[in-house]
Amino acid sequence: MLKFPKVVPWASTEEYMAAADCLYSSDISERKRGVAIVKAWRARGRVPVAIEATASLAEMCVADHEQRHGVTICQLQHMYAMALIRFVNSIVDLEQKGVYAQSVAMLAGRIGMPAWFVELRHAGTHEQLPSLATLRSACAQALLWLRDYYWSKQVRRLPADTMIQVRAGIAEYLSASEARQKAVALVASRSAKHSANSSVLAAAETAMESATTALTTLVARLHADAVRLYVVPVLIESGFLVPSEKRLRAKFPDCNLPVALVEAWCAPFAMFTASWGETLFYEELLAAMVSALTPDSSELGIFESGDGALSTSHAATLVAWIRWILESHYVPSGGKASTVSIEDLLEGCLRNPSYYSRSVLRVVSDVDPALKRDLKPFVEYMGKALAALVAEEAKASAPPTNSKPLLTVSLKALQEEEALMQRRLDQLFGAGREASQTESMDVDVSAKPAATATS
C-alpha cells in the first residue's frame, strides 16, 4: 500500500534538531529562541502535541526566570498549574481511542507517565494549588519525561558515527574500485600467468560487489538531509573528490579534471542521484564547494583567508568539479532542462570575493556566455582588489626605498568601485535578503518549508 509522507512545519531535520537543542538548553536566551521557533511552526501548520507541551513548559520556565515586575507567587502558581494540566491532558488524550472513555490514570500508566503527574493535575484542577517549589520541580521533570518519551525517539537524529560510516563506506568502495581496475589491467597483461590473473580478478570482483552492496545499503538508509550534513562534507575532503596525491589534482588556471578521476566517480554519483535526485545532490554539492572556496568576507575581510584555508591544489580541484557539474548538468540561461540552478552559487561568490571565487565566476562565464557580460565588471573589480592587496603586501615586506612603486592603485577609486559593485549585487539579489534572516528571535514564517517525510 502506498504510504504518503507527512507534511510537517519544519523545513528540515536540521531545523527540527536545532529546535530541540534550544528548548532543552540551559541558556535562557536559547530557550526563548526555541519557543519562538515552535510559534513559527504553529503559523505554518499543525504541530505535534508533544512539541506544543515542551514549548509551553519551556516558556513557563523562561517567564519564571525573568520574573517580570508585578507577577505574584499566586499568579506563577496558576501559570505553572495550567501548563502542567495541559501537558498531561494533551499527551494522555492521544491514547483515548476506545468507544468508552478510560481514566486518565489508566491511560497515563499505559504510556509510562509517572502517576504523580496525574495526581498533580487533579490537585491543580479540583483541590488547593501545589506549592510553587513543587510546581517548578514538576515542570522540570515533565520536560525530562518529554525528552525521553518523544524527542529521543521521534527526532530524525542519525547515529553519532554516521559521518564515520559514510566516510568508511565511500572509502571502501573507492579502494575496491581501484583494486578491480588493477586486476583488470593485470588480466590484460600477457606477462602474468592466466590462473593467477583469474584468481586476482575474481577476488577483486567479490570485494567490489561487497563494497557496492554496503554503500548502496548505507545510502538507502540516509535521509535526504544527510546529503548536506554528512555525505557532501565527506566528499569535499582530501582523499575523495580531491585526491590525496597532489599530482592527480587539477591545477590553476585551467582547472580541468583528469579523465580517470571523473570515471572513478561516475558510479558513486549515479548511486547518490538515484537515491536523492540529481537536483538535490548536485546543488548541495555545489553549495558546499562554494562555501569552502569563499570564506565569509563580512567576518574575514575581502580576500582574507581563515585558519582552515584550502591549499591551492585542493581549491583548484574543487573549482574543476564545479566546472564539470555545470558542463554536465546546467543549461545556460536557465533552460527548462537544467538540473541545477546557479543563483546561490553566484550570490555566494559575488558577496564573498576571494582568490577562488573569481575562478568560479570565470568558470560560470565559460559555461554560460550570456552571463559573461554581466559578470565581467565583478571579475574585473576582484582583479583590481587582488592587485591592490598584492601591492600592499609587497610594500609592507619590502625594505624602504625612494623608488616609485611598480603598481599604484587608488584606494578611493577602489572603494567607490566596491560601493558600485554592492549596489549591483543588491539589484541582482535584493538588499534585504540577508537582513531579513538575521532578526533577533523572529523566524521567517513566510518561507515555504520543505515537505519532510517522517516515518
Side-chain angles (χ1 to χ4, degrees), residues 224-235:
D225 287 338
V227 178
R228 178 178 67 259
L229 296 174
Y230 302 102
V231 178
V232 165
V234 169
L235 291 179

Side-chain angles (χ1 to χ4, degrees), residues 4-136:
F4 292 98
K6 297 179 181 177
V7 178
V8 294
W10 45 88
S12 65
T13 302
E14 190 176 25
E15 181 183 340
Y16 185 88
M17 294 189 293
D21 293 339
C22 289
L23 289 170
Y24 283 93
S25 174
S26 58
D27 187 347
I28 293 298
S29 63
E30 283 296 301
R31 281 200 172 188
K32 290 172 69 175
R33 181 170 176 267
V35 172
I37 292 174
V38 175
K39 288 181 178 179
W41 288 353
R42 291 188 190 122
R44 292 175 177 173
R46 185 176 179 181
V47 178
V49 293
I51 299 180
E52 290 272 16
T54 305
S56 297
L57 294 171
E59 188 172 18
M60 188 62 246
C61 293
V62 171
D64 187 11
H65 182 272
E66 293 182 343
Q67 286 192 6
R68 295 182 177 88
H69 297 295
V71 179
T72 65
I73 292 178
C74 183
Q75 289 173 327
L76 281 174
Q77 284 178 283
H78 280 87
M79 292 164 67
Y80 266 115
M82 178 59 70
L84 289 165
I85 290 170
R86 288 184 59 83
F87 150 65
V88 174
N89 288 345
S90 61
I91 299 297
V92 168
D93 281 349
L94 295 176
E95 296 297 316
Q96 199 73 266
K97 299 174 182 177
V99 178
Y100 301 101
Q102 295 178 298
S103 68
V104 174
M106 181 181 297
L107 295 173
R110 185 184 300 167
I111 62 176
M113 179 181 287
W116 71 278
F117 282 167
V118 179
E119 295 171 0
L120 188 143
R121 165 195 172 275
H122 182 81
T125 305
H126 304 291
E127 301 173 1
Q128 184 176 358
L129 285 176
S131 67
L132 183 58
T134 301
L135 291 168
R136 283 171 173 163

